[in-house]
Each structure stands twice: as structure tokens, then as C-alpha cells.
Amino acid sequence: MMSTFFLTVGFTLMMCACARRAYLDITGRWVPVEGYVFGAVISFVGALLILIGILLTAAP
């Protein structure tokens, strides 16, 4: 149950960060450097949650 939660939240965070970056690239809007750092941190947290979900799934 918790593994599914971590996988879902991690996947959602990763998709949101990627979609935001793609939207900014497509529209050509300027974003300060802090915006890119924030997106990278959100992606990193999403990746960690996905990793935790995978490890919880593999645990007996």
C-alpha cells in the first residue's frame, strides 16, 4: 500500500516538474535561475519517492 503511494506521488511530482519545464520552453517565457533550481529539486524529490516505492515493493 505504501509503495503504491510513494510511486504515485513520485511519478506525479516528476511529471509536474517536466510539464512545467516543457511549458516554459514551448512558450518561450523567461524564468529566473531560481525557477530552474526549484524544478530540479522537485524532480529530485520525485525520483527519491519513486526509489523508495520500488524498494518498499521489493521488501518482503
Side-chain angles (χ1 to χ4, degrees), residues 2-33:
M2 286 302 290
S3 62
T4 306
F5 173 75
F6 280 111
L7 287 170
T8 304
V9 171
F11 180 75
T12 304
L13 283 175
M14 292 283 288
M15 287 295 106
C16 290
C18 292
R20 179 180 180 272
R21 176 64 192 259
Y23 171 76
L24 293 175
D25 285 345
I26 290 170
T27 59
R29 295 182 184 215
W30 183 81
V31 176
V33 174

Side-chain angles (χ1 to χ4, degrees), residues 20-52:
R20 179 180 180 272
R21 176 64 192 259
Y23 171 76
L24 293 175
D25 285 345
I26 290 170
T27 59
R29 295 182 184 215
W30 183 81
V31 176
V33 174
E34 292 85 11
Y36 290 118
V37 172
F38 180 70
V41 169
I42 294 297
S43 295
F44 180 71
V45 169
L48 283 179
L49 290 175
I50 290 173
L51 181 63
I52 290 170

